[in-house]
Amino acid sequence: MSSHSILIYGAGNCEIAGALDFELNQITQISRPNIKIFARGYLFNNSCIAMYRRFKDLKTKIREIGQGGVHEYFYNGEETIKTCELKMQAATEETFEDFLKTGIQKIKDSEIILILIGQGNLQGMFLDFSQNPPTYMPYETIFSIIEKCSKEKVKKLSLIIDVSNWHGIYMPLCIAEYSFIDAVFVYDRESYLNIFPIYRWTEQTFRGQSHWLEETYLSHQGCKIDTHPVWWRLCKNKWDEYAAFPSAKSWIEFNSIYKKLVIYKGVSKRAYNQVLRNKQADGCNQLAIKDIQEYFNAEYLSNVYEDEVEKWLSELKICTDYYK
């Protein structure tokens, strides 16, 4: 039975805090001597999460959380050590880098599975509403930090990504630029805030019958991504042509390459509409009020107005400052 080392980073200073808290806590139930896990979650406090209930389309989807802060888990194949710092911290580039350095040092393995969980938009991942203004991490930033921390310590790194929304071209194109990233699986949530099931995944996947990636792909909704950089650069060129001059011909030329690189289980849910075609990777890491309005409306098919977002952010800042 082969052994596996797993790092899990969860950015939950947003509406997934309760769901993330639940899934991370399931690590305490794991009993698999052939795996090691180091996990860290950055979590809103419950009173901050409650403020999301001003938006009627989110009320029934939000899960309560026990205590916010930074929750850390280390499973060594025998027992889980859980530690909590109850002061809220932002999920920033610095905390992400610290997590990776700490995890790689604890795990001490040259092959690692890295699981990333958070909310996303078409320009990046890990939306964090505890900061003022709210932020996210651009794709390029995330994978350059992973490279920096993995250099000379990790020979092969595999990714499982669970973010609510992602750009189907720019995110995989970014990943393909890093040769040490061996395999990528992007999880598709079955419903709102129903994030990657950590415990169920470990129970189903590491039984020694087949490769963990194939087992993951068979058991979970999502897609495998081929990380060949040459093909992704060609795909990006065809995407740019299609975005600039949408036509049946440019779509066929783009999609004939894309469907070989992004392999969905079942039928792809992704829609290559005008919004996606117009969205460029701008390198910014902050969210304006209009961005947040668009995020809520797209994510939850809701109708949230800018003044509601502005009032919510003002109240949320008071709450998050209290727990920092």
Side-chain angles (χ1 to χ4, degrees):
M1 185 184 294
S2 58
S3 61
H4 299 275
S5 298
I6 302 163
L7 299 179
I8 305 170
Y9 182 84
N13 289 333
C14 57
E15 65 269 28
I16 69 165
L20 182 59
D21 179 41
F22 175 82
E23 288 299 342
L24 289 177
N25 205 49
Q26 294 297 296
I27 294 171
T28 60
Q29 308 300 316
I30 291 173
S31 179
R32 292 265 166 198
N34 62 324
I35 66 174
K36 289 189 292 184
I37 299 174
F38 177 70
R40 188 187 289 174
Y42 292 82
L43 305 172
F44 257 155
N45 190 277
N46 205 26
S47 56
C48 301
I49 277 289
M51 292 187 178
Y52 277 88
R53 293 193 173 93
R54 73 157 55 231
F55 305 117
K56 62 180 182 180
D57 293 313
L58 273 74
K59 281 182 181 178
T60 59
K61 303 175 180 68
I62 300 288
R63 187 192 290 244
E64 290 191 359
I65 184 174
Q67 292 178 307
V70 182
H71 297 195
E72 199 168 275
Y73 300 80
F74 181 52
Y75 175 70
N76 60 10
E78 296 178 357
E79 62 177 352
T80 302
I81 300 169
K82 176 182 177 181
T83 57
C84 295
E85 182 182 339
L86 299 183
K87 285 188 176 181
M88 192 185 303
Q89 288 187 33
T92 62
E93 296 170 22
E94 292 75 21
T95 59
F96 183 52
E97 184 172 331
D98 176 74
F99 158 76
L100 288 171
K101 288 178 178 177
T102 304
I104 290 169
Q105 185 178 15
K106 277 182 173 287
I107 292 290
K108 291 184 173 66
D109 198 344
S110 62
E111 294 190 15
I112 285 175
I113 301 169
L114 174 60
I115 302 176
L116 306 175
I117 304 174
Q119 296 297 84
N121 59 22
L122 294 178
Q123 294 164 305
M125 299 156 57
F126 304 144
L127 274 60
D128 190 312
F129 292 102
S130 72
Q131 301 187 72
N132 186 29
T135 62
Y136 63 91
M137 292 188 220
Y139 298 130
E140 179 57 44
T141 299
I142 291 166
F143 299 115
S144 64
I145 291 174
I146 293 172
E147 181 191 43
K148 175 183 174 182
C149 296
S150 303
K151 212 167 188 178
E152 299 175 357
K153 295 177 182 177
V154 178
K155 292 180 181 177
K156 185 186 290 185
L157 184 139
S158 300
L159 284 172
I160 294 177
I161 300 174
D162 174 16
V163 290
S164 55
N165 198 5
W166 53 284
H167 197 296
I169 310 301
Y170 294 128
M171 189 178 82
L173 176 68
C174 246
I175 294 171
E177 295 299 329
Y178 298 98
S179 59
F180 69 95
I181 297 178
D182 180 61
V184 182
F185 176 77
V186 182
Y187 179 67
D188 268 350
R189 297 175 186 173
E190 296 172 359
S191 60
Y192 299 110
L193 307 182
N194 190 353
I195 64 173
F196 188 72
I198 296 168
Y199 175 74
R200 178 158 58 90
W201 173 70
T202 58
E203 290 298 299
Q204 292 176 336
T205 303
F206 301 108
R207 296 174 294 191
Q209 296 178 1
S210 58
H211 189 274
W212 72 266
L213 181 62
E214 289 303 316
E215 195 66 43
T216 301
Y217 185 64
L218 288 172
S219 305
H220 297 81
Q221 197 167 267
C223 61
K224 291 184 290 185
I225 294 179
D226 188 312
T227 58
H228 196 295
V230 174
W231 280 106
W232 268 109
R233 288 170 201 146
L234 178 59
C235 186
K236 167 64 165 51
N237 290 338
K238 293 299 181 183
W239 167 255
D240 289 341
E241 290 174 13
Y242 168 63
F245 304 104
S247 67
K249 180 177 181 294
S250 60
W251 165 256
I252 291 170
E253 289 179 352
F254 156 70
N255 196 48
S256 64
I257 301 171
Y258 187 79
K259 66 184 181 181
K260 295 175 182 177
L261 297 175
V262 179
I263 305 162
Y264 283 85
K265 178 183 179 182
V267 180
S268 167
K269 298 177 183 177
R270 305 195 66 75
Y272 292 92
N273 55 26
Q274 189 171 354
V275 173
L276 191 67
R277 294 200 303 268
N278 291 341
K279 190 64 71 174
Q280 301 295 318
D282 60 7
C284 176
N285 72 332
Q286 294 183 349
L287 293 166
I289 289 174
K290 188 175 182 181
D291 296 326
I292 298 169
Q293 178 200 20
E294 290 175 355
Y295 162 72
F296 282 140
N297 290 345
E299 187 77 14
Y300 302 102
L301 304 177
S302 58
N303 190 20
V304 175
Y305 298 101
E306 283 191 47
D307 61 334
E308 291 181 75
V309 174
E310 195 166 7
K311 290 175 186 176
W312 170 72
L313 282 178
S314 179
E315 294 175 10
L316 190 64
K317 183 181 185 304
I318 297 170
C319 185
T320 55
D321 284 351
Y322 178 83
Y323 289 104
K324 285 181 179 177

